[in-house]
Amino acid sequence: MALVLTGLWIGQNVELLPVAASLNAPIYDQLFKVLFSIGSILFIGIFGLLLFSLIRFRRRDGETGDGAAVEGNLQLEIFWTAIPAIVVLFVGIYSYDIYDRMGGMVPLSDPHSMHGAAMAPQASDGSAGAVIQASVLGTPPEPSKRIWGGIGSGQISAGPALPVEVTALQFAFLFHYPQGDITSGELHVQKGQPVELRMEARDVIHAFWVPEFRLKQDIIPGQPTLLTFTPIKAGSYPIICAELCGPYHGGMRSTVVVHEPDEFATWFEKNNTATVAIAPSTSSTG
Amino acid sequence: MTIAFPPQTSSSPPGLQPEGWLRYLSFSLDHKVIGLQYMVAGFFFYLVGGALAGMIRVELVSPISDFISRETYNEVLTLHGTVMIFLWIVPVVNGAFGNYLIPFYVGARDMAFPRLNAVAFWLIPPAGFLLIASYFIAGAAQSGWTAYPPLSLTTPAAGQVVWILSVLLLGGSSIFGGINFIATVLKMRRPGLKLMQLPMYCWAMLGTSILVVLSTPVLAGTLVLLSFDIIAHTGFFNPALGGNAVVYQHLFWFYSHPAVYIMVLPAFGLVSEILPVHARKPLFGYTTMVYSILGIVFLGLIVWAHHMFTSATPPWMRLFFTIATAFIAVPTGIKFFNWLATLWGGKIALNSAMLFSCAFIIHFVFGGITGVALAQVPFDIHVHDTYFVVGHFHYVVYGGTVFVIFGSIYHWFPKFTGRMLNEDLGRFHFLITFIGFNLCFAPQHWLGLNGMPRRVAEYDPQFTLMNQISSVGALLMAVSTLPFLINVFWSAFSGRVAGDNPWNALTPEWLTSSPPPVENWKGEAPLVQHPYGYGVTPGQIDLGAATGREIWSSGQ
Ligand code: HEM
Ligand SMILES: [Cu+2]
Ligand SMILES: [Cu+2]
């Protein structure tokens, strides 16, 4: 009992993660707490048992005899087959639920959801999965234009998404905002508004990682990839390339700035080079 | 099975095979010589790989890239991974202990195919030197031990091709070894010895060898295609030519996940031999141990894509591989609880072999827990390719397998040489290795969670302190090899004379002289049907000098 309580306490109270700055980060942190609690219970339990055995059953000076000739105990063995099985089953189901809430089970998008009308409903409500699936069934995606998806946050984002084109190349990320024809070395987004990254790699595999968003997605040459997320906390966070991509891999970093809404509008207007200005927060196109 | 005891070749013309220590530099067919050849060669490469690790940790003392050039850094990390996996761990837990012990365990005088065995060993030194030489001649490969294309297609070609060649040779050696182990365990058993009476290490090696034989050819084929892409500009894995880079990852991990079990299953087997002897108790739950090894082998073949959760894998695939991976924890858990039960109520000798084995249990449980967490897709997408993963696999590979290798050396050294290793030095070695290891790798979990990717020469200054702690741990680990080496050299010549069976063990390798004669046993091999027959049944009087139940009999 004390063991379980200790484990739970550790899992709940030891803070190991950076701030949670996207909509799926708090969900991630819930899973982390559960895994950390279970892990602590198991680890402390087994560690304690081992330490106890080593001390209690150590061979004392002058002892030369053997231990008891116990060769096994089927009931015990079944019991400890069951423990990990149950734990793993529970963890599996729970993490499936978490994954689903992060939008991970939304089927990969097809070209229509990328460019067409399916975009808006995707971001609008919890029925995103169904909508996209329908559009997939209606028009089979052309293989050449297949879009690969990371964790989609279709189900947990609200409002129309801000599209940003991301190009990853040795050794930088480039961000292009089609709505304002802005090109930037930093990613600027607005708190509370979903962002849809359309990512492509020029040369080798890179990965887009923002630790504070708990999100990572490989960007593989030849595979346009979609990643959606919703920032919920204003601030600047590092964007890190997480896949070995060459000598300067460690220097392939950028920053994502999450603005308050009015701040973002200012930034956007300042950099907007498109002839027709579209305020992204009220945008109805996608 | 009448061929089990060919008349010994000691009657073969003298002078063809060198005698004495020169045997160890020759094309010897004796499985014991080959085993020690693997061991010494492996340890040499361990020192090389360790020096490379030292360079990595020195570079990471400061957040900027200031110790070696960035290209060199990538060469170093590629060589470090490749050397440690293919030239240290795999050859030593499989080749060294497998060759030395398996013929004893099955009651044979040698492996099934002694010549193939010698060939398998002699592929290793040239492959190793080729790999290391590439660093000095053309520049070594820079794309990590995973060699993902397109990166491996765009980094300097010469180093990458040499890397492929070297890994192919090592893979070949591993396959030859695997075939030999399977044949030996299945076909060379002494008449009357049943599979379910074999020491657990035989089962571990059987399972491992099945994995080797099934998965290594896939790696070989993949690397051949990769070399075509590099040399002949074919486009198998090159997206620019219409190829698919993810296919490489699938094929690579189809080998390389089983490879982690190729590195750890034999260690499981070795621990199963060490614990009963030093706890004076039978191995708990023999049958479930056997089935869990088979379960691990089966599951190990169907979990590879957990290394690719961020590589645009479709949701169903992520789900399947999450579940399959997490379920490996079940057979693995059985083994750990069985070991704990083996210790429970024993008369445990807290010697170096036991301490290293127990540290293995702790580290592996820790690494297994982080492993199950990594298997959860939503968890993994944050920490994939970060120092968290580096922490995870060093806990299982170093904290697990390497600790077992050290424990095994303390356990079997008297058998190899006829002399004991010094226990005080041994415990000292254990202590600094244990502290150094945990200091080095525990902080890396935190680093990964908080945003430090792996394989970088420069990092965010906020991580400086943790990296320095980690480097101090690495320094301790480096220092810890000194007492070990001193101990080995000193004891080999002037250690306490061990006698034939210093541990009063019941497994067959101890039922002969130490070191054993060329033909393993003078006279017929003993039939050991209860390799773990230790222990007193309740009520039986403990006769001071008890050696356990001696249930082996020589001859039938
Ligand atoms: C309970 C058992 C285990 C589970 C569930 C497990 C799970 C995992 C997972 C999911 C990853 C992928 C992490 C990522 O790249 O994002 C991983 C990586 C790794 N694991 Fe394990 N693991 C287990 C045991 C082992 C063992 C026994 C070994 C070796 C002896 C091992 C060696 C490795 C290595 C080398 C990597 C990293 C490979 C690389 O990317 O370079 N693991 N493990
Ligand atoms: Cu990169
Ligand atoms: Cu794996």
Side-chain angles (χ1 to χ4, degrees):
Chain A
M1 237 335 91
L3 172 65
V4 174
L5 289 179
T6 318
L8 284 178
W9 186 85
I10 292 178
Q12 299 306 315
N13 290 297
V14 178
E15 230 11 284
L16 291 180
L17 288 162
V19 295
S22 78
L23 210 48
N24 67 322
I27 309 179
Y28 181 94
D29 295 4
Q30 277 176 11
L31 172 69
F32 184 81
K33 284 197 158 89
V34 170
L35 292 175
F36 195 23
S37 303
I38 297 177
S40 305
I41 294 172
L42 286 175
F43 183 72
I44 297 174
I46 293 176
F47 188 75
L49 210 61
L50 182 70
L51 219 53
F52 177 81
S53 307
L54 287 187
I55 294 168
R56 170 76 181 68
F57 302 116
R58 73 182 185 280
R59 196 181 298 170
R60 290 161 177 92
D61 285 339
E63 261 186 325
T64 46
D66 280 7
V70 193
E71 303 208 321
N73 179 329
L74 196 60
Q75 267 146 11
L76 263 180
E77 287 163 48
I78 290 175
F79 172 65
W80 58 56
T81 311
I83 301 180
I86 291 169
V87 169
V88 161
L89 210 64
F90 168 76
V91 168
I93 291 170
Y94 184 69
S95 87
Y96 172 81
D97 179 54
I98 292 283
Y99 189 42
D100 196 31
R101 280 158 61 194
M102 286 183 180
M105 293 312 292
V106 178
L108 299 183
S109 326
D110 69 325
H112 291 265
S113 70
M114 177 96 165
H115 306 295
M119 265 288 303
Q122 179 197 11
S124 63
D125 59 37
S127 63
V131 173
I132 293 175
Q133 199 146 35
S135 79
V136 170
L137 289 177
T139 4
E142 297 166 51
S144 60
K145 290 185 77 180
R146 184 158 177 200
I147 306 298
W148 303 78
I151 282 248
S153 354
Q155 284 178 313
I156 55 168
S157 42
L162 169 73
V164 183
E165 290 160 9
V166 182
T167 309
L169 69 169
Q170 285 170 329
F171 297 91
F173 293 102
L174 293 180
F175 302 97
H176 180 248
Y177 293 73
Q179 286 174 353
D181 198 17
I182 304 171
T183 303
S184 162
E186 285 184 349
L187 180 59
H188 288 260
V189 295
Q190 172 183 335
K191 186 176 132 188
Q193 188 194 13
V195 180
E196 183 184 87
L197 300 180
R198 302 163 179 182
M199 307 193 289
E200 288 196 49
R202 241 354 126 61
D203 32 44
V204 300
I205 304 176
H206 302 273
F208 176 95
W209 180 34
V210 180
E212 283 77 6
F213 293 171
R214 315 282 191 271
L215 269 186
K216 181 179 297 110
Q217 179 59 42
D218 286 7
I219 317 174
I220 300 168
Q223 300 191 354
T225 302
L226 200 66
L227 181 70
T228 37
F229 63 87
T230 309
I232 55 166
K233 207 172 158 72
S236 295
Y237 311 106
I239 298 173
I240 300 165
C241 174
E243 181 71 51
L244 179 63
C245 59
Y248 287 83
H249 166 54
M252 184 166 165
R253 305 165 65 97
S254 176
T255 307
V256 49
V257 184
V258 180
H259 293 283
E260 297 291 348
D262 44 345
E263 236 176 69
F264 180 73
T266 322
W267 177 85
F268 196 89
E269 285 314 320
K270 204 171 88 205
N271 293 279
N272 192 349
T273 54
T275 38
V276 187
I278 310 159
S281 49
T282 55
S283 160
S284 55
T285 58
Chain B
M1 288 306 296
T2 45
I3 44 139
F5 316 105
Q8 237 328 285
T9 45
S10 51
S11 57
S12 61
L16 280 183
Q17 287 281 332
E19 299 285 317
W21 65 271
L22 268 179
R23 278 179 303 163
Y24 294 98
L25 294 177
S26 74
F27 192 80
S28 171
L29 303 185
D30 181 344
H31 69 99
K32 299 181 288 298
V33 173
I34 295 178
L36 292 178
Q37 285 175 327
Y38 269 109
M39 182 100 66
V40 173
F43 202 84
F44 169 79
F45 288 116
Y46 172 63
L47 295 179
V48 172
L52 294 163
M55 290 170 77
I56 296 178
R57 284 314 326 167
V58 171
E59 173 65 73
L60 293 179
V61 166
S62 71
I64 47 169
S65 167
D66 51 2
F67 175 59
I68 43 181
S69 79
R70 294 177 169 83
E71 284 82 4
T72 312
Y73 183 81
N74 285 358
E75 290 174 32
V76 166
L77 72 86
T78 304
L79 284 180
H80 164 72
T82 315
V83 166
M84 287 301 197
I85 292 171
F86 293 105
L87 288 161
W88 156 239
I89 300 209
V90 172
V92 170
V93 279
N94 291 272
F97 291 104
N99 278 304
Y100 201 96
L101 296 174
I102 294 284
F104 282 112
Y105 284 172
V106 299
R109 302 205 188 269
D110 210 320
M111 297 285 289
F113 310 115
R115 265 190 188 75
L116 185 66
N117 205 13
V119 171
F121 169 74
W122 282 107
L123 284 176
I124 288 181
F129 285 111
L130 192 65
L131 186 68
I132 295 167
S134 74
Y135 174 83
F136 296 103
I137 296 167
Q142 296 182 20
S143 54
W145 83 281
T146 47
Y148 277 7
L151 183 63
S152 51
L153 307 178
T154 55
T155 43
Q160 196 65 50
V161 171
V162 173
W163 180 87
I164 292 175
L165 208 63
S166 164
V167 174
L168 285 177
L169 287 174
L170 296 168
S173 156
S174 181
I175 295 173
F176 293 160
I179 294 171
N180 218 339
F181 289 127
I182 295 177
T184 307
V185 172
L186 293 183
K187 288 294 170 204
M188 298 289 284
R189 288 197 311 285
R190 187 193 189 291
L193 188 60
K194 300 197 189 67
L195 272 176
M196 291 305 271
Q197 295 168 336
L198 289 174
M200 195 53 62
Y201 182 62
C202 293
W203 281 101
M205 283 308 296
L206 187 63
T208 307
S209 304
I210 292 172
L211 286 177
V212 167
V213 170
L214 287 180
S215 62
T216 316
V218 176
L219 177 73
T222 312
L223 293 184
V224 169
L225 294 185
L226 187 67
S227 69
F228 287 167
D229 276 8
I230 296 173
I231 301 167
H233 303 287
T234 52
F236 293 106
F237 305 126
N238 190 349
L241 299 174
N244 188 324
V246 179
V247 170
Y248 173 88
Q249 300 182 8
H250 279 292
L251 295 170
F252 179 83
W253 289 112
F254 182 80
Y255 164 76
S256 292
H257 181 81
V260 308
Y261 285 96
I262 294 169
M263 292 188 271
V264 89
L265 271 181
F268 286 1
L270 293 170
V271 167
S272 304
E273 304 306 332
I274 295 173
L275 292 183
V277 173
H278 297 285
R280 311 308 303 165
K281 274 190 69 202
L283 183 66
F284 193 92
Y286 182 95
T287 320
T288 42
M289 289 293 229
V290 170
Y291 287 121
S292 52
I293 288 177
L294 299 179
I296 290 174
V297 169
F298 172 71
L299 286 173
L301 283 169
I302 53 165
V303 299
W304 73 88
H306 63 217
H307 297 275
M308 305 167 51
F309 285 149
T310 66
S311 312
T313 30
W316 70 264
M317 202 189 267
R318 289 173 167 164
L319 201 61
F320 173 81
F321 283 101
T322 290
I323 294 168
T325 306
F327 263 92
I328 289 200
V330 178
T332 314
I334 296 174
K335 298 187 74 77
F336 280 80
F337 286 117
N338 280 348
W339 286 325
L340 290 177
T342 305
L343 293 175
W344 187 266
K347 298 262 187 265
I348 303 171
L350 293 179
N351 52 26
S352 316
M354 179 55 93
L355 291 173
F356 272 106
S357 306
C358 290
F360 149 81
I361 295 183
I362 293 169
H363 296 149
F364 195 94
V365 166
F366 190 82
I369 289 171
T370 54
V372 171
L374 285 171
Q376 313 304 319
V377 183
F379 181 84
D380 186 64
I381 47 162
H382 175 45
V383 292
H384 169 68
D385 259 328
T386 69
Y387 260 87
F388 189 92
V389 175
V390 178
H392 156 73
F393 69 74
H394 282 91
Y395 261 80
V396 284
V397 183
Y398 196 104
T401 305
V402 177
F403 271 66
V404 170
I405 293 175
F406 282 127
S408 303
I409 292 176
Y410 283 97
H411 181 75
W412 277 289
F413 190 83
K415 181 46 59 183
F416 299 155
T417 63
R419 290 178 189 271
M420 307 294 284
L421 281 170
N422 181 295
E423 266 306 317
D424 292 329
L425 262 180
R427 292 204 192 102
F428 178 64
H429 169 217
F430 168 77
L431 192 71
I432 29 180
T433 314
F434 184 77
I435 296 174
F437 168 78
N438 283 290
L439 210 57
C440 183
F441 292 108
Q444 298 186 350
H445 295 90
W446 182 86
L447 285 172
L449 285 170
N450 283 277
M452 181 163 166
R454 66 193 281 204
R455 294 170 165 168
V456 291
E458 53 221 297
Y459 55 85
D460 191 318
Q462 73 176 102
F463 300 132
T464 313
L465 179 64
M466 280 295 181
N467 271 297
Q468 286 170 346
I469 294 177
S470 180
S471 292
V472 170
L475 182 65
L476 272 184
M477 289 163 78
V479 171
S480 80
T481 44
L482 287 179
F484 175 74
L485 284 175
I486 293 170
N487 201 350
V488 165
F489 282 110
W490 183 78
S491 304
F493 298 105
S494 33
R496 187 159 58 78
V497 174
D500 290 345
N501 191 353
W503 313 122
N504 280 328
L506 296 181
T507 39
E509 81 276 27
W510 297 102
L511 308 178
T512 180
S513 59
S514 300
V518 179
E519 63 275 28
N520 289 355
W521 292 277
K522 302 269 186 229
E524 216 178 325
L527 176 64
V528 179
Q529 287 175 318
H530 296 270
Y532 303 114
Y534 306 99
V536 282
T537 33
Q540 185 181 326
I541 313 148
D542 180 3
L543 309 166
T547 56
R549 279 182 290 153
E550 306 224 328
I551 324 182
W552 55 278
S553 56
S554 33
Q556 242 183 328

